[in-house]
């Protein structure tokens, strides 16, 4: 039996370390099972992997775990900046744009060196774990003495800043996502990974086959071997991080940023401060800052011509013109400098803010055109309404004049006489119509009395005999037609004479 004296905090921490070790081994076992189930015997040249990591962490109480997570995010953000601008440079090169490459991944090198390089925060922590009498406070003093006011990424908070805090930070590190204050309580204990060898050996000899399989590699080592194989948590973390970065550098990565809109999981609710904090911690704002250093906006020539030719409609010649030539004419007409716009092989590139300015000019131009069109349309409608009102005014004047004349003439004797005589005028017209119809009847009688011309006889006697009956019938029909017309004309004349005589009698009686 092994007896070791420890206080309650040490026991609690050792228990937590053992639980974390079990969780780590179960997770690795599960990954191995998944890979074995998906494995094939065929040779593989390519593979697809998914890396899911936590974002940058800034809490009120930041300790050793937050330092490791933030170091990982610094390294990944450095890789992202480097990779993103490599892609930018490749597109500039493909489009034939002169550009001096700037590796923005070096912007984060200072904070990474502060944590990783020799005499950095983590190497000094590993060194402090070697000394038996070392404490967290001695480690803090060494870090502050080594880097305070000597390194631009490390600072010590003032007493005023830490006043009233339960766990005041001992030093600050300036990360890309913001300034994080770290408290060094229990850093030596956490870094030493206090897993008892006797407990590990007990799990290795466990009666549960699954537990024995998980801890099968925990073979007890002697004192000399233990010193050679001694590894702290910071060492193991940096080793796995270097392996991860090596794998990422040998692949073609794609980045997906996940954002939480609110902390209550309520649909349709957006917390602006929370989203801004996530964008800052995920490195999105850092990526935007880097992209803005180059030409973040790029548009194909055909799309640019179609959208912005309204800004230089008078400068573009009529007829067909190449999209690139039209784009150059538009850019020259807008007086954009060579630093603000670059012409590639298939696209035009703009500095940050130039495309927004073009959009404002386009909106102003469209507003001006629509205002002029509305003015013309409203003027035409107003003139049409005015013309209609003037016509109505003329009509009203005519109506008023006629009504006044009617009231003046309705009791005038001569007007009464005119109204009596006016029907007689129509009788005179009827007599003229009767004379015209009589003349028409005479002409029809003369045409009917004319003899019909004889038909030319055929040479063949057989056909003449056949046509005799047909000619007689045709002549009878032709002679009957004028007679019927004469009858209708005479009947119409008699009816019109009777009507005229009746009207004369009625007027005489009046």
């Amino acid at each position: 039996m092994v007896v070791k004296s420890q206080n309650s905090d040490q026991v609690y921490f050792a228990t937590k370390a053992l639980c974390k070790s079990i969780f780590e081994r179960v997770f690795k076992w599960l990954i191995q099972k998944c890979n074995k189930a998906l494995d094939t015997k065929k040779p593989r040249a390519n593979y697809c992997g998914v890396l899911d990591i936590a974002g940058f962490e800034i809490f009120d109480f930041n300790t050793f775990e937050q330092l490791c997570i933030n170091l990982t995010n610094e390294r990944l953000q450095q890789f992202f900046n480097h990779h993103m601008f490599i892609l930018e440079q490749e597109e500039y090169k493909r489009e034939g744009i002169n550009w001096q490459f700037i590796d923005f991944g070096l912007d984060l090198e200072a904070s990474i060196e502060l944590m990783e390089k020799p005499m950095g925060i983590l190497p000094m922590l590993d060194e402090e774990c070697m000394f038996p009498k070392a404490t967290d406070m001695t480690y803090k003093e060494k870090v502050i003495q080594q880097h305070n006011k000597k390194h631009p990424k490390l600072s010590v908070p003032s007493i005023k800043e830490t006043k009233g805090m339960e766990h005041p930070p001992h030093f600050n590190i300036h990360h890309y996502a913001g300034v994080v204050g770290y408290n060094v309580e229990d850093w030596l204990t956490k870094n030493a990974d206090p897993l008892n060898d006797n407990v590990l050996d007990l799990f290795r000899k466990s009666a549960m086959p699954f537990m024995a399989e998980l801890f099968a590699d925990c073979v007890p080592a002697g004192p000399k071997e233990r010193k050679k194989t001694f590894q702290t948590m910071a060492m193991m973390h940096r080793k796995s991080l270097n392996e991860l970065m090596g794998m990422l550098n040998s692949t073609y990565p794609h980045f997906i940023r996940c954002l939480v809109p609110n902390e209550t999981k309520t649909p349709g609710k957006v917390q602006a401060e929370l989203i801004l904090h996530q964008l800052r911690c995920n490195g999105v704002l850092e990526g935007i800052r880097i992209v803005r250093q180059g030409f973040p906006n790029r548009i194909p020539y055909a799309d640019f011509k179609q959208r912005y030719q309204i800004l230089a409609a008078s400068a573009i010649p009529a007829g067909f013109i190449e999209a690139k030539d039209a784009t150059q004419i538009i850019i020259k007409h807008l007086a954009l400098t060579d630093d603000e716009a670059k012409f590639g092989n298939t696209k035009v590139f703009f500095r940050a803010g130039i495309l927004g300015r073009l959009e404002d000019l386009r909106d102003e131009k469209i507003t001006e055109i629509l205002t002029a069109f509305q003015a013309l349309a409203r003027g035409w409608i107003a003139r049409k309404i005015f013309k209609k009102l003037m016509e109505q005014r003329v009509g009203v004047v005519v109506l008023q004049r006629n009504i006044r004349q009617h009231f003046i003439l309705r009791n005038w004797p001569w007007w009464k006489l005119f109204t009596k005589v006016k029907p007689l005028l129509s009788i005179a017209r009827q007599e003229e119509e009767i004379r015209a119809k009589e003349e028409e009847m005479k002409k029809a009688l003369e045409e009917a009395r004319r003899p019909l011309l004889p038909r030319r006889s055929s040479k063949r006697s057989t056909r003449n005999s056949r046509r005799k009956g047909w000619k007689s019938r045709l002549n009878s029909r032709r002679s009957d037609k004028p007679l019927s017309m004469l009858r209708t004309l005479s009947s119409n004349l008699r009816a019109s004479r009777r009507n005229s005589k009746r009207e004369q009698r009625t007027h005489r009686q009046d």
Side-chain angles (χ1 to χ4, degrees):
M1 179 179 294
V2 178
V3 180
K4 185 178 181 182
S5 60
Q6 289 182 331
N7 56 32
S8 60
D9 294 336
Q10 291 175 339
V11 172
Y12 175 72
F13 189 80
T15 306
K16 279 202 323 185
L18 187 61
C19 294
K20 291 178 182 178
S21 178
I22 294 174
F23 178 82
E24 177 189 2
R25 293 173 182 273
V26 171
F27 183 77
K28 289 181 179 179
W29 177 86
L30 183 62
I31 294 298
Q32 291 175 358
K33 290 295 182 181
C34 292
N35 291 335
K36 187 176 181 180
L38 299 174
D39 191 16
T40 58
K41 301 301 180 182
K42 297 180 180 179
R44 292 174 296 178
N46 302 312
Y47 70 95
C48 177
V50 179
L51 173 63
D52 183 14
I53 65 167
F56 207 89
E57 292 187 353
I58 304 176
F59 302 129
D60 295 333
F61 177 54
N62 302 288
T63 183
F64 180 71
E65 290 84 356
Q66 279 69 47
L67 180 69
C68 294
I69 292 173
N70 293 341
L71 171 62
T72 305
N73 280 277
E74 287 275 0
R75 292 286 299 272
L76 291 174
Q77 185 65 32
Q78 183 188 36
F79 173 76
F80 171 74
N81 295 350
H82 178 75
H83 175 75
M84 183 175 62
F85 236 84
I86 283 179
L87 295 180
E88 288 285 311
Q89 185 188 13
E90 287 179 355
E91 185 166 6
Y92 294 157
K93 186 177 180 180
R94 187 168 56 250
E95 291 290 333
I97 294 177
N98 294 326
W99 169 257
Q100 185 177 1
F101 178 66
I102 303 173
D103 191 355
F104 284 92
L106 299 177
D107 289 356
L108 308 179
E109 191 66 26
S111 56
I112 294 174
E113 287 181 355
L114 174 63
M115 291 182 281
E116 278 194 328
K117 295 300 179 180
M119 297 305 295
I121 293 176
L122 292 179
M124 290 179 68
L125 180 62
D126 294 337
E127 182 182 352
E128 200 70 10
C129 290
M130 301 292 183
F131 299 102
K133 294 184 179 181
T135 62
D136 296 329
M137 292 300 106
T138 57
Y139 167 69
K140 181 197 77 171
E141 295 297 333
K142 289 183 179 179
V143 170
I144 293 176
Q145 183 180 359
Q146 179 70 27
H147 298 290
N148 187 27
K149 296 182 181 180
K150 298 178 182 178
H151 200 284
K153 296 295 182 179
L154 187 137
S155 62
V156 178
S158 62
I159 300 175
K160 185 178 179 180
E161 293 175 352
T162 60
K163 186 177 180 180
M165 298 180 66
E166 184 180 357
H167 299 282
H170 296 124
F171 56 84
N172 297 329
I173 297 179
H174 298 261
H175 296 280
Y176 72 89
V179 180
V180 183
Y182 292 97
N183 188 293
V184 298
E185 293 179 6
D186 298 327
W187 278 33
L188 296 179
T189 306
K190 293 178 180 178
N191 189 45
D193 189 21
L195 288 177
N196 193 291
D197 294 338
N198 297 318
V199 175
L200 295 178
D201 187 54
L202 180 64
F203 282 168
R204 185 176 65 87
K205 298 177 181 179
S206 174
M208 297 175 60
F210 180 67
M211 188 64 69
E213 181 182 356
L214 292 179
F215 290 89
D217 58 334
C218 297
V219 180
K224 295 182 180 180
E225 295 178 355
R226 191 178 303 168
K227 289 183 179 180
K228 293 180 181 180
T229 60
F230 175 75
Q231 282 190 333
T232 62
M233 292 299 297
M235 292 178 183
M236 291 188 289
H237 180 76
R238 280 182 290 166
K239 180 181 178 181
S240 61
L241 183 57
N242 290 331
E243 292 176 354
L244 173 64
M245 299 310 300
M247 182 181 295
L248 289 177
N249 286 317
S250 63
T251 58
Y252 190 86
H254 298 273
F255 299 88
I256 300 175
R257 306 293 187 182
C258 301
L259 300 177
V260 178
N262 57 75
E263 295 178 345
T264 58
K265 299 181 180 180
T266 305
K269 182 180 179 182
V270 176
Q271 295 179 355
E273 295 182 358
L274 177 63
I275 293 177
L276 181 61
H277 179 71
Q278 293 178 86
L279 291 174
R280 186 180 292 111
C281 294
N282 287 341
V284 176
L285 299 183
E286 180 73 10
I288 293 173
R289 182 188 69 83
I290 291 172
V291 172
R292 288 174 66 88
Q293 300 295 326
F295 297 91
N297 302 117
R298 67 276 324 254
I299 305 177
Y301 287 121
D303 297 342
F304 184 85
K305 175 190 172 185
Q306 181 181 4
R307 186 167 182 82
Y308 297 105
Q309 65 180 348
I310 191 174
L311 299 177
S314 59
I316 298 177
F320 176 77
I321 183 172
E322 289 290 339
K324 186 175 182 179
D325 298 336
T327 302
Q328 293 176 347
I329 293 172
I330 296 170
I331 297 297
K332 185 178 179 181
H333 182 79
L334 296 174
L336 295 178
T337 63
D338 186 61
D339 185 61
E340 293 175 335
K342 294 283 187 180
F343 298 99
N345 296 327
T346 61
K347 298 176 184 178
V348 56
F349 293 75
F350 296 100
R351 290 283 188 185
I354 301 299
L355 200 61
R357 197 167 76 194
L358 294 182
E359 284 292 325
D360 294 338
L361 293 174
R362 181 175 178 271
D363 293 341
E364 292 176 2
K365 191 68 175 179
I366 292 175
T367 303
E368 181 182 350
I369 293 172
L370 291 178
T371 303
F373 178 75
Q374 288 176 351
L376 291 174
R378 289 171 180 170
W380 181 81
I381 293 171
R383 285 190 294 272
K384 188 176 180 181
I385 294 173
F386 179 76
K387 183 179 179 181
K388 186 177 180 181
L389 292 174
M390 293 301 296
E391 291 175 353
Q392 290 177 355
R393 181 177 176 274
V394 173
V396 169
V397 172
V398 172
L399 283 173
Q400 289 176 348
R401 185 173 63 246
N402 290 333
I403 292 171
R404 290 192 192 100
Q405 294 297 328
H406 172 71
F407 281 110
I408 292 170
L409 296 175
R410 67 178 179 176
N411 296 324
W412 193 28
W414 288 103
W415 178 256
K416 292 180 179 181
L417 179 61
F418 175 74
T419 55
K420 299 283 186 181
V421 175
K422 187 176 180 181
L424 299 176
L425 298 176
S426 62
I427 295 171
R429 292 195 198 97
Q430 289 180 358
E431 291 178 354
E432 292 177 358
E433 292 176 358
I434 290 169
R435 294 193 193 97
K437 289 181 179 180
E438 288 178 351
E439 291 177 0
E440 186 180 354
M441 185 177 65
K442 289 178 182 179
K443 291 179 182 179
L445 287 172
E446 289 176 0
E447 290 178 359
R449 289 172 182 171
R450 289 177 187 174
L452 295 172
L453 295 175
R455 286 278 184 179
R456 184 180 294 178
S457 60
S458 177
K459 293 182 180 181
R460 297 179 182 179
S461 59
T462 55
R463 292 183 180 179
N464 291 334
S465 60
R466 291 178 182 175
R467 292 176 179 174
K468 285 181 181 180
W470 178 76
K471 287 181 179 180
S472 60
R473 289 193 297 271
L474 182 60
N475 291 330
S476 63
R477 289 177 183 175
R478 287 180 178 175
S479 61
D480 293 340
K481 189 173 183 180
L483 292 175
S484 61
M485 292 174 64
L486 290 172
R487 294 191 191 98
T488 55
L489 286 172
S490 60
S491 61
N492 292 333
L493 287 172
R494 294 190 195 98
S496 61
R497 285 176 179 172
R498 292 192 203 100
N499 293 332
S500 62
K501 289 179 181 179
R502 288 172 188 164
E503 290 178 356
Q504 289 176 0
R505 289 172 191 164
T506 54
H507 284 295
R508 286 171 186 171
Q509 290 175 3
D510 293 338

